[in-house]
Amino acid sequence: MMCDSSGYNLKFEIYTGKLKDTVEMGLGERVVSQFCSSLAGKNHIVVMDNFFTSYPLFLRLKENSISACGTVNQARKHLLKLTDDKLLKRGEFDWSVSNHGISVYKWKDNKCVNLMSNYHNPNDTLSVQRRGKDGTKISVPCPEILPDYNGNMNFVDNFDRLKGDYCIDRKSKKWWPRLFYHFLDCCVINAFIMHKELNMQQLSNKDFRRNIYMDMFSSKLREKIGAEKPFPKPVLSVVERRQHKPFVPANIRLEENKHWARCAKCSTLKKPVRTIWFCITCNVPLCQRKDKPCFDDWHSK
């Protein structure tokens, strides 16, 4: 999955397993190269984690004028061996640069962090705030790539967080419904991100989804009030809601068939009897008509 700085899902690919009968080699390199094919020559910056990072990939991106940085597994091929982790103290780092301008870093905080970049200068350093053992904040030197990576590493995570807050969770023994609901969630989250970027009415993720549901499942209410009349928009503002009463959307409150229940006294499976009356003490629905005095019969000996 590839997302921009706002979290908008630009591209994604579903992993379908092996290609024919063999395991695909260089999967991460192939996926990133495919996603970034439309960014060639546009001087974009791509940030990734150590699953995708590799020396041939960064070299290919640099040839296409695409800047890239990310964490890297120090066991990857084509990487020079840097200083051992135990020999580095907190705030110290080691680096090396290839003949093609690909730089590799090892920076020590509490643990060592391995990074790779195709556009940073190893001589450019900054300082970050860290807490010492006594709880006081201290300034620790670090290479410039570290704050750039930390500030741009969570675009995909933000999209996954928004998608996971109120996702459509439907279990199925078949594989395709899972993908269908995933695509549906992705469409909703992308629309929500675009809604925020356009500086329109500020809604939360929950209210935005609720607004969509109301527009999708309110056809009966439209028929009731007339298609030519304007459809009443739901009240979504927290300030406008009555806090001492439960908030129920109008399209649900006005649909009568949703409030009818089976009578606990005279209704059967073969002959169901519906009623709108409900005893709040017994917590059961009961008929209350002249021809069906189930309410009185239920509460009498």
Side-chain angles (χ1 to χ4, degrees):
M1 183 186 301
M2 182 171 70
C3 300
D4 64 3
S5 57
S6 64
Y8 187 88
N9 188 348
L10 299 172
K11 296 180 181 179
F12 64 89
E13 181 178 342
I14 300 173
Y15 178 67
T16 57
K18 298 180 180 180
L19 294 176
K20 297 182 180 180
D21 295 330
T22 60
V23 179
E24 182 179 2
M25 302 300 293
L27 174 63
E29 180 180 350
R30 194 265 304 168
V31 170
V32 176
S33 300
Q34 181 178 339
F35 283 174
C36 298
S37 59
S38 60
L39 306 179
K42 298 180 181 179
N43 296 317
H44 282 74
I45 299 177
V46 181
V47 182
M48 65 198 77
D49 59 15
N50 57 9
F51 178 81
F52 302 96
T53 307
S54 65
Y55 184 86
L57 172 62
F58 275 48
L59 183 59
R60 181 184 300 181
L61 293 177
K62 186 172 184 179
E63 292 174 351
N64 293 328
S65 300
I66 301 175
S67 302
C69 68
T71 56
V72 62
N73 189 342
Q74 59 182 351
R76 291 276 191 180
K77 294 182 179 180
H78 311 291
L79 298 184
L80 294 176
K81 188 174 182 180
L82 301 177
T83 306
D84 189 78
D85 296 0
K86 298 180 180 179
L87 300 180
L88 292 176
K89 297 180 180 180
R90 189 177 191 183
E92 296 182 345
F93 66 94
D94 189 16
W95 54 270
S96 65
V97 182
S98 69
N99 296 333
H100 300 92
I102 309 300
S103 55
V104 182
Y105 305 80
K106 177 183 286 188
W107 179 71
K108 181 69 174 289
D109 190 13
N110 294 328
K111 295 182 179 180
C112 283
V113 181
N114 296 278
L115 303 161
M116 179 183 289
S117 173
N118 64 359
Y119 70 99
H120 284 94
N121 186 352
N123 295 319
D124 296 335
T125 59
L126 299 172
S127 61
V128 292
Q129 295 292 324
R130 289 292 185 270
R131 289 189 179 275
K133 294 182 179 180
D134 56 352
T136 59
K137 291 185 178 181
I138 57 176
S139 295
V140 177
C142 70
E144 189 180 24
I145 181 178
L146 186 69
D148 288 348
Y149 172 76
N150 289 336
N152 301 282
M153 60 174 286
N154 59 349
F155 299 156
V156 175
D157 294 336
N158 285 337
F159 181 87
D160 289 337
R161 176 183 58 81
L162 291 172
K163 175 180 171 295
D165 285 344
Y166 307 101
C167 64
I168 306 173
D169 189 11
R170 300 283 294 182
K171 295 182 179 179
S172 175
K173 294 183 179 180
K174 299 181 180 179
W175 60 269
W176 63 265
R178 196 81 174 181
L179 292 178
F180 173 78
Y181 291 122
H182 170 74
F183 297 154
L184 191 59
D185 280 328
C186 290
C187 292
V188 173
I189 296 303
N190 274 353
F192 172 65
I193 294 173
M194 291 178 61
H195 187 274
K196 291 198 305 182
E197 291 295 318
L198 292 174
N199 295 322
M200 301 175 67
Q201 182 184 4
Q202 294 299 318
L203 300 176
S204 64
N205 189 11
K206 182 177 182 180
D207 287 338
F208 185 81
R209 281 182 176 265
R210 181 183 293 166
N211 204 354
I212 294 177
Y213 298 154
M214 288 179 178
D215 290 339
M216 291 177 62
F217 301 112
S218 56
S219 58
K220 292 185 177 180
L221 182 60
R222 289 179 184 271
E223 296 175 358
K224 184 175 296 186
I225 65 176
E228 69 281 354
K229 297 180 181 180
F231 181 68
K233 295 184 179 180
V235 180
L236 297 177
S237 175
V238 178
V239 179
E240 295 176 358
R241 297 181 190 172
R242 297 181 180 180
Q243 299 295 334
H244 60 284
K245 291 185 179 181
F247 172 75
V248 181
N251 61 316
I252 296 178
R253 179 171 55 84
L254 298 178
E255 289 189 6
E256 298 178 357
N257 59 344
K258 290 189 177 182
H259 306 286
W260 287 65
R262 291 183 178 182
C263 178
K265 183 74 170 68
C266 64
S267 180
T268 61
L269 293 176
K270 293 184 179 180
K271 189 177 179 181
V273 179
R274 302 286 182 175
T275 178
I276 62 174
W277 298 99
F278 197 90
C279 179
I280 60 174
T281 303
C282 302
N283 198 26
V284 293
L286 295 166
C287 297
Q288 193 174 12
R289 304 196 305 264
K290 290 183 179 181
D291 57 333
K292 284 186 175 293
C294 297
F295 190 89
D296 298 333
D297 297 343
W298 179 271
H299 297 94
S300 60
K301 293 183 180 181

